[in-house]
Amino acid sequence: MNFVDELRWRGMIHDMTPGVEELFTQGIVTAYVGIDPTADSLHIGHLVSVMAMIHMQRCGHRPIILLGGATGMIGDPSGKSQERNLLDEKTLKEYQDGIKRQLGRLVDFESDAPNAAVMVNNYDWMREVTFLDFARNVGKHITVNYMMAKDSVKKRFSGDGEGMSFTEFTYQLLQGYDFLHLFREHGCRLQFGGSDQWGNITTGTELIRRIVGGEAYGLTWPLIKKADGTKFGKTESGNVWLDARYTSPYKFYQFWLNVSDEDARSYVRIFTLLGREEIETLIAEHETAPHERKLQRVLAREITCLVHSQGEYDRAVEASAILFGGATAAALRELDEATLLEIFDGVPQFTVARADIEAGVGFVEFTVEKAAVFPSKGEARKLIAGGGVSLNKEKVEADRTVIAADLIADKYLLVQKGKKNYFLLIAE
């Protein structure tokens, strides 16, 4: 596959410097993308960078992931109106280790292939550079006028923010120095990133040209936004993380399952490894029956399997079926407590006495007097007689007794009234 063509049809090219396409006709290309470690997990805002690395490797080229251990101590001003909090060295190290573990599942670092990925940390070379050395050997090659002309700088002085510290002002030079270092040490001739990185990337290509007379290139992809213009990857509860500790596979799966049709058409190209013909067929099928949400279901499957695993995807589907489909009692009992609470977040909840359950209590009495699931015993019996009431996904009879063995995770009971009305009872 041709890497540039692959990104182009997927809608992943915003701009590139002259000569990029010719570069990819000259053999294995080494390119890098930088990630500032601002947490010990990546979130889905980083996924475009990760997918670009995956595509590059599949096309036979060598990706370098640069973790910004040094630049992360400063903070990139691009796209931001406020200065970012600076992190200490110990925290940065913890963040870097977490990110490296994640990326290792998505990109090949371990094989002996000539295009095996490389991970570097710019703190390893920046910590030895003194301020005087940097000012003399790097700073003198780029004028202040050149740096002030960058959009990321101009916006901070045009009323959109509170100006910019000297620390942040130097960021583009530091990133440019990273490019120069990788050019010298790894033969890296291309840097890519989001469109907000264009100014930083071109500073790097200019630095390489002026200091060593080398030819280097840049490529950017569009910043991903939702069709309604809101920020991609943000939910009411915050970022959608790749680490299951922060965003469960179930919630991760649900995020992609619930995107709009317009977003799904774009995301399925960017965030999956499906081929062009398969995606075009899928979109056409979706258009004939959009209510079936086939596009979203395939998108959610592909990206959940990629980031987590087939097993986690299967469990997420089963968990979804508990709320929206005909899942079994066995599937309900297999859920971990965190996922159970996520699925039924927002449904009415009642705290009930564990002692009542351990002693054995009639279902009708329990769901009327101990937890107000039904307004009266008469209505409870009527709905039960019609087969419309379940306990833990099993139909109940009017003479059913609730006992301790019914508790899920030794704590929860799930009552379902009709098709869509759920109640979570918590024994304490």
Side-chain angles (χ1 to χ4, degrees), residues 246-427:
Y246 306 131
T247 299
S248 70
Y250 168 76
K251 272 196 170 180
F252 185 86
Y253 168 77
Q254 286 292 324
F255 172 83
W256 301 101
L257 195 63
N258 290 312
V259 301
S260 69
D261 287 356
E262 186 173 348
D263 286 332
R265 292 186 199 98
S266 169
Y267 296 169
V268 76
R269 292 185 173 93
I270 297 170
F271 299 114
T272 79
L273 299 177
L274 299 177
R276 185 172 190 171
E277 186 175 329
E278 187 175 358
I279 287 176
E280 289 174 350
T281 300
L282 180 63
I283 291 174
E285 290 174 352
H286 178 84
E287 300 302 327
T288 63
H291 61 283
E292 295 180 1
R293 300 182 69 78
K294 183 175 182 179
L295 195 54
Q296 285 90 338
R297 286 189 285 111
V298 172
L299 170 66
R301 179 194 72 205
E302 292 295 311
I303 193 63
T304 304
C305 287
L306 182 68
V307 170
H308 293 288
S309 67
Q310 178 73 44
E312 292 292 357
Y313 162 74
D314 292 339
R315 282 186 280 275
V317 172
E318 287 180 2
S320 298
I322 288 168
L323 187 58
F324 303 111
T328 64
L332 180 63
R333 288 191 175 276
E334 287 174 3
L335 290 177
D336 61 88
E337 184 176 5
T339 303
L340 175 73
L341 293 175
E342 285 176 346
I343 293 171
F344 296 105
D345 181 33
V347 308
Q349 297 183 4
F350 299 100
T351 300
V352 294
R354 173 180 289 275
D356 289 336
I357 300 170
E358 291 176 345
V361 60
F363 179 84
V364 172
E365 175 191 348
F366 186 62
T367 53
V368 174
E369 297 178 358
K370 307 296 184 182
V373 174
F374 299 97
S376 68
K377 292 181 180 179
E379 181 172 327
R381 291 192 179 97
K382 182 178 178 181
L383 279 171
I384 290 170
V389 180
S390 297
L391 173 64
N392 298 341
K393 285 292 179 179
E394 293 179 334
K395 298 290 185 184
V396 299
E397 301 294 336
D399 59 355
R400 173 75 150 85
T401 299
V402 181
I403 58 176
D406 291 319
L407 290 170
I408 299 168
D410 197 37
K411 189 174 182 180
Y412 304 98
L413 296 167
L414 181 67
V415 178
Q416 184 176 356
K417 186 169 67 173
K419 288 186 176 181
K420 296 181 179 180
N421 296 313
Y422 288 94
F423 302 84
L424 190 65
L425 280 52
I426 305 170

Side-chain angles (χ1 to χ4, degrees), residues 125-357:
W125 58 85
M126 288 302 302
R127 65 185 170 191
E128 305 297 334
V129 179
T130 69
F131 178 77
L132 290 177
D133 286 341
F134 191 81
R136 183 180 63 196
N137 299 328
V138 179
K140 72 175 184 180
H141 293 282
I142 301 292
T143 67
V144 171
N145 289 349
Y146 179 89
M147 296 172 69
M148 289 290 292
K150 302 295 184 180
D151 286 342
S152 60
V153 176
K154 286 195 293 186
K155 287 179 180 178
R156 291 282 286 271
F157 289 98
S158 64
D160 293 344
E162 299 177 355
M164 179 184 293
S165 68
F166 174 76
T167 303
E168 279 195 313
F169 185 60
T170 62
Y171 188 93
Q172 62 176 287
L173 280 183
L174 291 169
Q175 185 167 324
Y177 184 72
D178 286 341
F179 201 174
L180 174 63
H181 176 86
L182 296 178
F183 182 90
R184 285 168 163 165
E185 300 297 321
H186 295 274
C188 178
R189 300 180 65 192
L190 174 68
Q191 181 186 171
F192 42 51
S195 58
D196 61 338
Q197 292 296 307
W198 182 253
N200 294 335
I201 291 172
T202 52
T203 295
T205 62
E206 186 68 9
L207 204 57
I208 290 168
R209 185 185 69 82
R210 293 188 183 188
I211 293 179
V212 296
E215 286 293 331
Y217 307 89
L219 182 152
T220 61
W221 42 76
L223 295 181
I224 308 300
K225 289 187 177 180
K226 295 181 184 178
D228 62 7
T230 58
K231 189 170 183 177
F232 166 74
K234 288 281 189 181
T235 66
E236 289 182 5
S237 57
N239 284 320
V240 179
W241 300 94
L242 306 195
D243 193 313
R245 292 174 300 163
Y246 306 131
T247 299
S248 70
Y250 168 76
K251 272 196 170 180
F252 185 86
Y253 168 77
Q254 286 292 324
F255 172 83
W256 301 101
L257 195 63
N258 290 312
V259 301
S260 69
D261 287 356
E262 186 173 348
D263 286 332
R265 292 186 199 98
S266 169
Y267 296 169
V268 76
R269 292 185 173 93
I270 297 170
F271 299 114
T272 79
L273 299 177
L274 299 177
R276 185 172 190 171
E277 186 175 329
E278 187 175 358
I279 287 176
E280 289 174 350
T281 300
L282 180 63
I283 291 174
E285 290 174 352
H286 178 84
E287 300 302 327
T288 63
H291 61 283
E292 295 180 1
R293 300 182 69 78
K294 183 175 182 179
L295 195 54
Q296 285 90 338
R297 286 189 285 111
V298 172
L299 170 66
R301 179 194 72 205
E302 292 295 311
I303 193 63
T304 304
C305 287
L306 182 68
V307 170
H308 293 288
S309 67
Q310 178 73 44
E312 292 292 357
Y313 162 74
D314 292 339
R315 282 186 280 275
V317 172
E318 287 180 2
S320 298
I322 288 168
L323 187 58
F324 303 111
T328 64
L332 180 63
R333 288 191 175 276
E334 287 174 3
L335 290 177
D336 61 88
E337 184 176 5
T339 303
L340 175 73
L341 293 175
E342 285 176 346
I343 293 171
F344 296 105
D345 181 33
V347 308
Q349 297 183 4
F350 299 100
T351 300
V352 294
R354 173 180 289 275
D356 289 336
I357 300 170

